[in-house]
């Protein structure tokens, strides 16, 4: 097995989805007009009903090029996936080959790193259970790596959605204050029909396991019996992907509009990176699972962290859109750029949980829970301590034509 594929999955355990930031603090005497949090329903601020339709954005995207010309040919997609296997910071960007041999030494080193990191957070009281309590001694002992891994070598099919745990505990772990929607021990959710490879038995009956996009621990009660290698190979086979065109990408992206948000895939929902992973999978493009890695997994990307002028950033966005499909990333989050409205407002479609708005006449803020795949204006969050989305963007990533003249 490729060493770096395991390394990437392990070292990113705590941010595999979209990062939830520190929320506004609970204040004792909030005015009624400034609740601690509230649910908001689409359309969001400055998003007109037409902005939530595929047809509107197909028309707007005609300005960037033909809607039906392939941005990457089938051979181009294959080359792109091969390129994603090249290491970046000693880790490949692409997904793991579940049929490749396992490098035991590399696996052991990465597992030791993972459980040591988690145990340190547990010892420090940074991670607690759903009741806010530290784990008991028996549960903590599960984070002591055994002297030797009890290796297995079989593949299973997920029969019911189940959590792929970041650590060897079949239960949630949380930061304080506890928000049960954000389980830090849920690296991803394995969906029905997915193939998972069991790598080693753990002392509590769980298994160290991997999917193509993540490594973790799993209970086997929702998995099939063992599959042979030929059965696993057949399960991994996929049909002919769709042509990678602007029209097709937008169509797939809007097919999931309104789907619920779920950190790590909780409840069958999408976090930001799983949403994009699934959209691009339909074109045979094997994006990484984590948003920061997705942001460097394009044809090319541009670091815009030093660009403070919003007009300059908008111009860069538009220039990028002429090259292909554009992803917009800031730490902990990633979005698919849609383009600009008739009034020149840049917008994106993405799976996200929340944004902040300042309360008039006070220094308090309200957490606005969206919790779905939604279209948003990039000025969302303006005036808050987090700033608006446009100001926070640090990288623009293009999948399509390489940089050059328009």
């Amino acid at each position: 097995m490729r060493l770096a594929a395991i390394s990437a999955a392990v070292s990113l355990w705590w941010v595999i989805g979209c990062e939830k930031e520190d929320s506004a603090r609970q204040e004792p005497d909030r005015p009624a007009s400034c609740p601690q949090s509230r649910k908001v329903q689409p359309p969001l601020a400055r998003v007109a009903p037409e902005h939530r339709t595929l047809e509107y954005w197909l028309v707007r995207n005609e300005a960037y090029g033909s809607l039906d010309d392939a941005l990457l040919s089938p051979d181009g997609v294959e080359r792109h996936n091969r390129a994603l296997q090249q290491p970046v910071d000693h880790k490949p960007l692409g997904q793991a080959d579940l049929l490749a041999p396992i490098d035991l030494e590399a696996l052991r080193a990465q597992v030791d790193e993972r459980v040591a990191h988690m145990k340190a957070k547990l010892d420090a009281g940074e991670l607690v259970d759903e009741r806010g309590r530290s784990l008991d001694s028996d549960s903590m002992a599960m984070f002591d790596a055994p002297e030797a891994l009890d290796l297995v070598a079989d593949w299973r099919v997920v029969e019911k959605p189940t959590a792929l745990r970041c650590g060897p505990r079949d239960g949630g772990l949380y930061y304080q204050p506890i928000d049960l929607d954000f389980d830090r021990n849920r690296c991803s959710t394995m969906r029905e029909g997915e193939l998972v490879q069991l790598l080693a038995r753990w002392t509590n009956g769980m298994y160290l396991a991997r999917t193509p996009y993540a490594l973790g621990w799993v209970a086997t009660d929702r998995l099939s019996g063992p599959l042979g290698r030929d059965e696993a190979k057949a399960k991994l086979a996929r049909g002919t992907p769709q042509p990678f065109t602007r029209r097709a990408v937008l169509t797939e992206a809007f097919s999931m509009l309104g789907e619920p948000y779920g950190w790590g895939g909780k409840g069958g929902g999408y976090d930001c990176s799983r949403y994009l992973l699934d959209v691009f999978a339909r074109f045979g493009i094997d994006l990484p699972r984590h948003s920061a890695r997705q942001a460097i997994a394009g044809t090319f990307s541009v670091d815009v962290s030093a660009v403070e002028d919003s007009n300059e950033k908008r111009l860069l966005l538009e220039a990028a859109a002429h090259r292909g499909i554009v992803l917009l990333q800031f730490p902990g989050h990633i979005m698919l750029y849609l383009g600009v409205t008739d009034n020149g407002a840049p917008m994106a479609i993405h799976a996200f949980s929340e944004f902040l708005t300042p309360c008039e006449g006070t220094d308090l803020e309200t957490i606005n829970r969206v919790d779905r795949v939604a279209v948003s204006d990039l000025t969302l969050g303006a005036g808050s301590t987090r700033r608006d989305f446009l100001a926070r963007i640090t990288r623009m990533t293009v999948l399509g034509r390489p940089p050059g003249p328009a």
Side-chain angles (χ1 to χ4, degrees):
M1 184 179 70
R2 296 180 177 91
L3 163 61
I6 294 179
S7 176
V10 173
S11 61
L12 291 170
W13 71 269
W14 63 99
V15 284
I16 199 71
C18 305
E19 189 59 55
K20 174 182 170 64
E21 301 180 65
D22 290 338
S23 299
R25 294 176 298 166
Q26 181 69 47
E27 304 292 341
D29 297 314
R30 282 180 167 267
S33 60
C34 182
Q36 172 76 11
S37 66
R38 63 187 167 206
K39 292 186 178 294
V40 293
Q41 297 293 330
L44 302 176
R46 295 174 293 280
V47 176
E50 61 268 23
H51 299 155
R52 301 180 66 242
T53 67
L54 169 64
E55 292 72 23
Y56 179 86
W57 291 108
L58 289 175
V59 172
R60 298 300 300 167
N61 270 251
E62 288 176 343
Y64 303 136
S66 170
L67 296 178
D68 299 307
D69 286 350
L71 296 168
L72 288 173
S73 67
D75 286 345
V77 169
E78 186 177 340
R79 288 194 300 272
H80 189 86
N81 286 336
R82 287 200 302 268
L84 294 183
Q85 292 304 315
Q86 298 303 309
V88 174
D89 296 330
H90 309 292
K91 305 166 189 175
L93 294 176
Q95 299 183 15
D97 180 358
L98 300 191
L99 299 175
I102 298 170
D103 183 331
L104 178 57
E105 182 178 355
L107 177 63
R108 182 56 197 255
Q110 298 305 321
V111 168
D112 287 352
E113 178 187 350
R114 170 86 69 93
V115 294
H117 183 95
M118 292 191 74
K119 188 170 185 181
K121 286 184 171 291
L122 289 164
D123 284 338
E126 295 179 38
L127 286 173
V128 295
D129 69 11
E130 64 277 5
R131 297 182 181 180
R133 302 177 306 190
S134 297
L135 300 188
D136 60 34
S137 57
D138 288 343
S139 297
M140 286 292 291
M142 296 303 103
F143 291 85
D144 294 324
E147 291 186 7
L149 292 178
D150 183 9
L151 293 178
V152 298
D154 66 45
W155 299 266
R156 308 287 181 97
V157 174
V158 179
E159 294 185 331
K160 295 181 180 179
T162 188
L164 184 64
R165 295 297 184 182
C166 303
R169 166 180 163 80
D170 194 16
L173 292 170
Y174 305 88
Y175 290 144
Q176 300 270 23
I178 293 171
D179 184 338
L180 295 179
D181 287 336
F182 292 87
D183 177 1
R184 305 299 171 149
N185 197 33
R186 182 184 287 267
C187 271
S188 194
T189 296
M190 301 183 298
R191 295 177 177 171
E192 183 176 348
E194 287 187 2
L195 187 70
V196 56
Q197 184 182 20
L198 304 187
L199 302 173
R201 294 183 187 88
W202 212 252
T203 53
N204 62 352
M206 297 183 77
Y207 282 79
L208 179 67
R210 62 174 179 163
T211 68
Y213 51 81
L215 179 80
W217 281 260
V218 64
T220 59
D221 57 320
R222 294 188 170 191
L223 306 182
S224 72
L227 273 64
R229 183 180 180 84
D230 289 344
E231 292 175 295
K233 185 176 181 180
K235 189 67 181 175
L236 288 171
R238 55 189 179 190
T240 303
Q242 297 184 52
F244 187 60
T245 66
R246 296 180 193 275
R247 184 190 305 276
V249 172
L250 289 172
T251 299
E252 292 298 338
F254 272 88
S255 73
M256 288 183 269
L257 183 68
E259 289 291 321
Y261 176 87
W263 167 276
K266 179 185 177 183
Y270 294 89
D271 56 32
C272 63
S273 55
R274 182 68 196 232
Y275 170 59
L276 292 181
L277 184 147
D278 282 6
V279 167
F280 285 90
R282 297 173 189 185
F283 305 96
I285 297 174
D286 297 330
L287 287 184
R289 179 66 174 88
H290 177 243
S291 58
R293 305 289 282 180
Q294 288 180 349
I296 52 174
T299 307
F300 69 94
S301 65
V302 180
D303 184 343
V304 295
S305 58
V307 180
E308 297 183 359
D309 183 81
S310 60
N311 288 327
E312 182 180 354
K313 195 172 277 188
R314 286 189 182 96
L315 290 173
L316 290 170
L317 275 174
E318 286 297 281
H322 282 85
R323 310 308 300 178
I325 302 301
V326 180
L327 307 182
L328 307 176
Q329 186 257 348
F330 55 79
H333 192 59
I334 194 162
M335 308 173 275
L336 192 152
Y337 181 55
L338 290 174
V340 295
T341 66
D342 297 322
N343 296 326
M347 291 195 175
I349 185 170
H350 48 134
F352 69 116
S353 176
E354 64 188 41
F355 65 96
L356 293 183
T357 50
C359 297
E360 187 175 353
T362 95
D363 60 356
L364 302 178
E365 297 177 315
T366 292
I367 304 166
N368 300 272
R369 295 293 296 261
V370 180
D371 289 328
R372 67 188 68 238
V373 177
V375 173
S376 75
D377 179 282
L378 294 185
T379 63
L380 207 62
S384 73
T385 54
R386 295 181 190 172
R387 304 182 298 159
D388 63 76
F389 286 167
L390 182 63
R392 297 165 70 185
I393 293 168
T394 55
R395 186 169 293 274
M396 302 176 183
T397 302
V398 176
L399 290 100
R401 293 185 293 158

